[in-house]
Amino acid sequence: MKFNERLMALRKKRGLSQEELGFELGVSRQTVSKWESGQSYPDFQRLVLLADYFDISLDELVRGLDVGDVRALNESEKQRPRCTPYRQLECGPIMRLNKTRASPAGPALAKPRRL
């Protein structure tokens, strides 16, 4: 969901008109209308006021992310085994890169130099 759609949904969920929301934020109804139609976006101060007014985080407001979901995902990532060269059976083959070439089997072989 895009920011403008999210803003409109939040406003309607609270049963507010564009004029009422504008009054709460100190902007005109036309400004709220432009935000909801995607013609313009609020400045940072207004974004903070919007997040506070709707009691959500800036991430939820702007990007549609629930901070709790992100934290839970990070915790689950911490519990997965880290892939190291010694855990290839658990994680799958690991590509080792060198400046000269990449090989899935092991370290890359450099071309011999002429002296």
Side-chain angles (χ1 to χ4, degrees), residues 9-74:
L10 288 166
R11 178 181 60 79
K12 288 183 176 182
K13 185 178 178 182
R14 289 267 176 113
L16 298 170
S17 67
Q18 290 177 339
E19 190 169 353
E20 290 168 328
L21 180 59
F23 178 78
E24 294 293 329
L25 300 172
V27 298
S28 67
R29 178 200 59 79
Q30 291 85 351
T31 299
V32 175
S33 175
K34 286 181 181 181
W35 294 345
E36 290 183 354
S37 65
Q39 294 176 12
S40 68
Y41 294 93
D43 60 19
F44 186 73
Q45 291 174 334
R46 300 284 187 247
L47 286 172
V48 172
L49 289 173
L50 281 164
D52 286 345
Y53 184 79
F54 290 116
D55 195 31
I56 59 176
S57 71
L58 281 172
D59 281 338
E60 287 175 278
L61 178 65
V62 176
R63 299 189 319 182
L65 294 177
D66 182 358
V67 176
D69 290 344
V70 172
R71 286 185 181 132
L73 180 63
N74 285 340

